Amino acid sequence: MSRKLIYFSSKPNERLGSFQSEFDCQHFDRFDAFLQTEARPDVFLIQADTGDYSHDILTRIRGHGDYYCDLCFVDGEIAGSDKLLSDGGIPDPDALASRLSEVEDLHAAFKRRDEPLYRDDRLLKYLWLRPGFVIRAHYDWSSPGFYSYPLLEALSFSEIDVRAWLRNLSLKKFLDKQELQDRQRECPHCRSTHLSFIDVCPNCQSIDIEKQISLHCFVCGQVGPQQEFLRNGVLICPKCETHLRQIGSDYDRPIENYSCRQCDHFFDEGDVLARCAVCSRSMAVEDLVVNKIYAWKLSELGQIVAIRGAMTDILSIFTEMNFVPQELFLHNLDWILLQAERYPECTFSMLGLYFVNLQQMVDMLGSARVLQKVEGFAERVRESLRKPDLCTRSTENMVWLLLPQTGSEGLSSLKTRLERSIEQLQEADAQKLVCEFASFSSEQRNAGENAELLLARLRSELI
C-alpha cells in the first residue's frame, strides 16, 4: 500500500506531480478542509506563499493529538520560529521515501500505548523519531522572556508553563544540555527580561541627580562642588578659608561627582536600579535572576523511556515535593553522615520506596490508571514531609527520603503510616501496585560508609 502524502498550498502546484509515483497524494488549501477527511497521512508538505500561511498549518499540525510528531516539510515563506517546528525544506521524492523508511523503523521501536500520551511522552516520541534533533530557543524581543521554545510550546498543548516543564524534564534527566545560547538577567518577580537601568542617589534613591564639577583643597582635604568654593569671583576653600590660586599646587579637580537635588547629597557614583517594564517593580541589579538559555537534546535515559514506556515519567510526581537532584541528595547525605559521626545527638533517618511491579502495572492497566494510583500515594507522602526533609529519585522505580532529626521511633511511625496509606488506596483494586520500604536510622550507620555505599546497601536489600 502506497504511503499517503498531504500537500498544502494556497493554489494547485505543479510540483505535487513529482511525488505521485511514490505516494498517494492529496492537495488541500486549508487545514480545516484536510481535517474533514479524517485521513491518516504519513507525511505533510507545505508550499507557503506567506509566513502566516505556513505558521497556521505548522502550529496546528504540531498542536494536534494525532499528527504532532509526523514529518512536515516546508518550502516558501516561513518565520524563524516556525523553522524550529518543521523538518526542513521539501526533499525530492527518493530522499523523502528514504526518510520515511527510517522513521517507520524508529516508530516500530517506540513503546506503544493505547491511551492518549502525556506531554512528556509526546516530546519523547517526537525526539525519538528524529535522532540527533536539538531543541533550540528562539529569540523574540517582544516576548517577556526574550527567548521561547516553539517546539515545547506546541507539544505542551497549553497544559503547562513551558519553563516549568523544561525544568521538570531536566530534573528527570530526559534531556541533556547542549550549547549555551545566551545568558540574561531577569526580574525576580515576573521573570521578564524587559528591564531599564537608571542611576539614583545612594542616600535617598531619588532619580533627580546631576553631574557637578568638584574641587579638592590640598590644605585641608575638603572636596565639594565648585560652586561652594566660589566667593566674590575667586576660589576660597569653604572649610579652611585658604585662597586657592594655582591648580595642581593649591587644589585640583578630581573625577566628576554628582549631587542630588532632593537631599543635597554629594557622591562619586550613584546606585543603579533595574526597573521592570512588565510588573513595574524596581530592584538592585544584584537582585536580578541570572537565567542561562540552553539548547537541549534527548538524553540516554530519555531514549530508554521512549523504548520501555512511561515508568520513569509516572514517578516524576515525586519531583514536586522537597525534591533535589540525586547528586545534591548524596552531597547532603554525606554531610549529615559526618555530622552524626561527630555529634551522636544529631540523628537522621532514611526511607526508600521501591515500586516493585510498576512497569508490569503500566503494561496491564495503562499509564493513566497507574499514574492515578501513584498520585494518591504521593499526596500522602507529601503530607508527611516537613520542610527540612529531602526527596530524590533513582533513574528506575526508586524514591528516597532523607529525614533530618528523625530517630528510629519517628521512622517506624512514618513507615507504618505510608504502608497503611498505600493499602487503603488500593483496597478495592484487584491489581495492586506493590511498594516495598527500605529504612535506615543514624544509629545503624557503619563506620566509614559514605552516602553512595549506604544507598547501594539499602537498595540491595530490596532488589
Side-chain angles (χ1 to χ4, degrees), residues 185-431:
R185 296 186 183 275
E186 302 175 350
C187 171
H189 306 287
C190 68
R191 299 305 293 267
S192 168
T193 49
H194 289 261
L195 304 168
S196 62
F197 299 87
I198 188 168
D199 297 319
V200 298
C201 171
N203 183 53
C204 69
Q205 303 295 296
S206 170
I207 63 173
D208 192 6
I209 62 177
E210 61 182 1
K211 288 183 179 180
Q212 290 275 7
I213 298 174
S214 60
L215 299 182
H216 171 214
C217 174
F218 287 168
V219 177
C220 69
Q222 172 72 1
V223 177
Q226 179 176 279
Q227 192 64 32
E228 293 181 0
F229 287 78
L230 282 173
R231 189 183 304 173
N232 299 322
V234 296
L235 294 176
I236 297 176
C237 177
K239 183 177 181 181
C240 68
E241 300 293 327
T242 300
H243 189 186
L244 306 179
R245 293 180 174 83
Q246 189 171 356
I247 188 168
S249 59
D250 297 328
Y251 70 98
D252 69 354
R253 290 189 175 90
I255 60 173
E256 291 179 327
N257 289 319
Y258 296 82
S259 65
C260 176
R261 295 168 61 89
Q262 295 297 316
C263 68
D264 296 324
H265 185 57
F266 192 68
F267 51 94
D268 294 334
E269 188 175 341
D271 290 343
V272 178
L273 288 184
R275 295 193 296 193
C276 178
V278 175
C279 69
S280 301
R281 301 195 190 190
S282 297
M283 65 229 62
V285 172
E286 56 267 23
D287 293 334
L288 296 174
V289 176
V290 177
N291 183 29
K292 295 180 179 180
I293 311 298
Y294 286 97
W296 299 85
K297 190 176 180 180
L298 186 64
S299 67
E300 183 177 349
L301 176 60
Q303 296 175 40
I304 293 172
V305 174
I307 298 173
R308 291 176 54 187
M311 176 188 70
T312 312
D313 184 40
I314 288 174
L315 286 187
S316 68
I317 189 69
F318 286 94
T319 65
E320 299 175 7
M321 51 187 183
N322 297 18
F323 182 84
V324 295
Q326 191 170 2
E327 295 84 354
L328 182 57
F329 186 90
L330 290 171
H331 174 80
N332 285 324
L333 181 54
D334 273 328
W335 179 82
I336 205 169
L337 279 167
L338 290 172
Q339 188 182 44
E341 184 176 346
R342 186 175 181 87
Y343 307 105
E345 67 275 12
C346 295
T347 60
F348 76 94
S349 294
M350 280 190 58
L351 189 63
L353 314 177
Y354 176 54
F355 295 87
V356 179
N357 61 339
L358 185 60
Q359 187 59 48
Q360 294 91 322
M361 293 288 285
V362 170
D363 293 338
M364 286 189 297
L365 305 178
S367 59
R369 289 183 60 188
V370 178
L371 180 61
Q372 189 175 24
K373 292 175 179 285
V374 174
E375 282 179 338
F377 179 59
E379 182 60 32
R380 302 291 178 90
V381 176
R382 183 185 293 108
E383 291 171 355
S384 301
L385 293 183
R386 306 158 302 172
K387 285 187 178 181
D389 300 334
L390 298 178
C391 168
T392 196
R393 282 176 51 203
S394 301
T395 55
E396 299 180 11
N397 47 346
M398 192 90 200
V399 175
W400 297 98
L401 305 177
L402 178 59
L403 314 168
Q405 295 299 332
T406 300
S408 55
E409 290 185 8
L411 175 64
S412 177
S413 175
L414 174 62
K415 180 182 174 184
T416 300
R417 289 201 309 273
L418 294 182
E419 286 175 334
R420 189 183 304 119
S421 294
I422 198 165
E423 284 297 323
Q424 291 173 345
L425 289 169
Q426 302 184 99
E427 283 179 346
D429 295 342
Q431 303 292 338

Side-chain angles (χ1 to χ4, degrees), residues 76-95:
E77 296 295 323
I78 180 171
S81 60
D82 291 334
K83 289 180 181 178
L84 302 177
L85 301 178
S86 79
D87 292 290
I90 297 177
D92 62 57
D94 290 340

